[in-house]
Amino acid sequence: MGPGQRDLITPRALASLHQAEVIIGYKTYIALIKDLISDKQVISSGMRKETERARLAVDMAKQGKLVAVVSSGDPGVYGMAGIILEVAGDSVPVEIIPGVTAGTAAAALLGAPIMHDFTVISLSDLLTPWEKIVNRLHAAGQGDFVVIIYNPRSQGRQQQIEAARQILIEYRSPHTPVGIVRNAGRVDCQVVITDLENLLKEEIDMVSTVIIGNSETRLENGCMVTPRGYAL
Amino acid sequence: MGPGQRDLITPRALASLHQAEVIIGYKTYIALIKDLISDKQVISSGMRKETERARLAVDMAKQGKLVAVVSSGDPGVYGMAGIILEVAGDSVPVEIIPGVTAGTAAAALLGAPIMHDFTVISLSDLLTPWEKIVNRLHAAGQGDFVVIIYNPRSQGRQQQIEAARQILIEYRSPHTPVGIVRNAGRVDCQVVITDLENLLKEEIDMVSTVIIGNSETRLENGCMVTPRGYAL
């Protein structure tokens, strides 16, 4: 369903909601589209219930229902696509509908920070060993990738984004531009542009996307721009 | 304008085409939306004319015209967003409209290959020194990132994808799943799933997106799935 604003939901996603008999999703995302699905059977549940939602969706599909599972952004980027395919196996057909992911929606609000090669890294260590995330941050630094950070802070844990900053500042200037977008694409979207040195002074939470420039990223009229290299 | 199919163009992008007085774009992309803009002033040009198109767009905007510059996929991912901001400076206001990028559209057709941290790397060395691309491929290997490759082959050059395969196979199994999507999201879309060992036997061209799994990516009922780590 894209990053949250109604006019960034693709017609294909919208059509799937209209066709579905049952809509299943995380309650925060279901709330955003409530008026679109008022005539449907809707099943919503809380965080960390992903496997449960996937099982329920597959079970209902096996019973012959046309089921839509809602994911924010693009369902294939830290969304529900993988777990659904794993649970479904060959029992029911599954269609994945791509969407505008939070990373590119955030980029559009900041200017053009990901015009060159980038990495997407989630700092959530609920499902991933922290050492693996640390290794990826070092690799991103070594490769001079622009870095898009999803889940910069988890509930109850604050130090991931501090550690990420500490690693990346080993590889690039403290003046490297950094953009922070809270709720990319939703109505209460907030945009901040700062730099690696001052990153931790800004408010960063679970719904923030953080984009850290590469060695060539600069500010252009207040926007973050990572030049692709066209001669001007 | 998304990866090419009409139902993956966001309502926001469509509204901008309707509002614009002038539409400027690469001729192949303009052709895909010709019927939507038949009543507009349309200026199309060929490859490698990006700077020229950006200058023209900014010049016409300075003259008071409402101009839409068309980019395929997401304009901020190897698209027109950066060059437009660079050329525009503070002379005219610019709005970037995010879209479904080829990488996530390709992923959706392959299953769920980018459910975990990934890198996006263009193999085009027209604007980027090849050594920098090589360094990024090594970093992607070291970090065990899923790798999305844009521009796997340029006109007149064939060896980039061979070199990329050679580098990544230093870090991961030859049996690592690889997906190839030609024209992600367009009507002639073709999908192939192979592995690192056999990658070069497949047809790969300028309009292909190649997704190379990480060490955990596997096939699930014929789909590429990179598990996020949910307990099943």
Side-chain angles (χ1 to χ4, degrees):
Chain A
M1 55 171 277
Q5 280 176 8
R6 202 55 68 88
D7 63 355
L8 291 178
I9 302 179
T10 65
R12 190 182 299 178
L14 211 53
S16 77
L17 290 179
H18 289 313
Q19 286 157 16
E21 296 162 285
V22 184
I23 318 270
I24 297 178
Y26 173 47
K27 59 188 178 188
T28 306
Y29 305 148
I30 290 288
L32 287 171
I33 52 166
K34 209 169 44 182
D35 60 302
L36 296 176
I37 54 177
S38 54
D39 58 335
K40 308 286 183 178
Q41 183 182 353
V42 177
I43 303 170
S44 64
S45 57
M47 271 183 59
R48 306 194 193 178
K49 299 286 185 190
E50 291 83 4
T51 308
E52 198 177 293
R53 283 199 291 276
R55 279 190 201 292
L56 186 63
V58 170
D59 284 346
M60 296 189 87
K62 280 183 192 163
Q63 290 160 30
K65 297 275 190 190
L66 197 52
V67 182
V69 178
V70 169
S71 225
S72 77
D74 183 293
V77 180
Y78 310 117
M80 289 292 290
I83 186 76
I84 295 276
L85 289 173
E86 287 182 86
V87 170
D90 62 358
S91 67
V92 290
V94 177
E95 182 190 0
I96 315 289
I97 300 176
V100 177
T101 183
T104 72
L109 292 167
L110 294 165
I114 54 169
M115 286 303 297
H116 218 301
D117 305 333
F118 62 94
T119 66
V120 175
I121 302 178
S122 166
L123 296 190
S124 170
D125 57 357
L126 288 176
L127 299 168
T128 306
W130 177 244
E131 307 73 54
K132 196 160 193 170
I133 299 172
V134 164
N135 181 45
R136 286 186 176 149
L137 289 163
H138 278 289
Q142 280 156 11
D144 193 27
F145 286 100
V146 180
V147 181
I148 305 183
I149 291 179
Y150 281 60
N151 306 307
R153 284 200 166 118
S154 313
Q155 261 177 334
R157 297 210 43 198
Q158 302 291 317
Q159 71 268 42
Q160 292 98 330
I161 186 69
E162 297 172 25
R165 173 188 170 279
Q166 198 56 45
I167 291 168
L168 289 171
I169 217 166
E170 291 178 31
Y171 298 93
R172 52 193 78 167
S173 159
H175 304 301
T176 304
V178 176
I180 304 163
V181 178
R182 297 185 63 237
N183 270 322
R186 298 185 204 166
V187 279
D188 55 348
C189 180
Q190 291 168 13
V191 175
V192 168
I193 294 182
T194 177
D195 60 21
L196 259 184
E197 183 160 16
N198 297 295
L199 167 59
L200 300 175
K201 296 176 186 162
E202 303 298 334
E203 186 182 353
I204 297 171
D205 62 15
M206 292 177 62
V207 294
S208 302
T209 305
V210 177
I211 301 185
I212 298 162
N214 71 12
S215 62
E216 296 179 78
T217 305
R218 58 172 194 259
L219 296 188
E220 185 81 53
N221 189 38
C223 292
M224 268 177 89
V225 176
T226 303
R228 187 145 185 228
Y230 295 112
L232 284 181
Chain B
M1 55 172 276
Q5 280 176 8
R6 201 56 68 87
D7 64 354
L8 290 178
I9 302 179
T10 65
R12 190 182 299 177
L14 211 54
S16 76
L17 290 179
H18 288 314
Q19 286 157 15
E21 297 162 285
V22 184
I23 317 268
I24 298 179
Y26 172 47
K27 57 187 178 186
T28 307
Y29 304 149
I30 290 288
L32 287 171
I33 52 167
K34 210 169 43 182
D35 59 301
L36 296 176
I37 54 177
S38 53
D39 58 334
K40 306 287 183 179
Q41 183 182 353
V42 177
I43 303 170
S44 64
S45 57
M47 270 182 61
R48 305 195 193 176
K49 299 285 184 192
E50 291 82 3
T51 308
E52 198 178 293
R53 283 199 290 276
R55 280 191 201 291
L56 186 63
V58 170
D59 284 346
M60 295 191 87
K62 280 183 191 163
Q63 289 159 31
K65 298 274 189 189
L66 197 52
V67 182
V69 178
V70 169
S71 224
S72 78
D74 183 292
V77 180
Y78 309 116
M80 289 292 292
I83 186 75
I84 295 277
L85 289 172
E86 287 181 86
V87 170
D90 63 358
S91 66
V92 290
V94 177
E95 183 190 1
I96 315 289
I97 301 175
V100 177
T101 183
T104 72
L109 292 167
L110 293 165
I114 54 170
M115 286 303 298
H116 219 300
D117 306 333
F118 62 94
T119 65
V120 175
I121 301 177
S122 167
L123 297 190
S124 170
D125 56 357
L126 288 175
L127 299 169
T128 306
W130 177 244
E131 308 72 56
K132 197 160 194 171
I133 300 172
V134 164
N135 181 45
R136 285 185 177 150
L137 289 163
H138 278 289
Q142 280 157 11
D144 193 26
F145 286 101
V146 180
V147 181
I148 305 183
I149 291 179
Y150 282 60
N151 306 307
R153 284 199 167 119
S154 314
Q155 260 176 337
R157 297 209 44 197
Q158 301 291 317
Q159 70 268 42
Q160 291 99 328
I161 186 69
E162 296 171 26
R165 174 188 169 279
Q166 198 56 46
I167 291 168
L168 289 170
I169 217 166
E170 291 178 31
Y171 299 93
R172 52 193 79 168
S173 159
H175 305 301
T176 304
V178 176
I180 303 162
V181 179
R182 298 186 63 236
N183 270 322
R186 297 186 204 165
V187 279
D188 56 349
C189 179
Q190 291 168 14
V191 175
V192 168
I193 295 182
T194 177
D195 60 20
L196 259 184
E197 183 161 15
N198 296 294
L199 167 59
L200 300 175
K201 296 177 185 163
E202 303 297 334
E203 186 181 353
I204 298 171
D205 62 16
M206 292 177 63
V207 294
S208 302
T209 304
V210 178
I211 301 186
I212 298 163
N214 71 11
S215 62
E216 295 178 79
T217 305
R218 59 172 194 258
L219 295 188
E220 186 82 52
N221 190 37
C223 293
M224 267 176 89
V225 176
T226 302
R228 185 141 186 230
Y230 295 114
L232 285 181

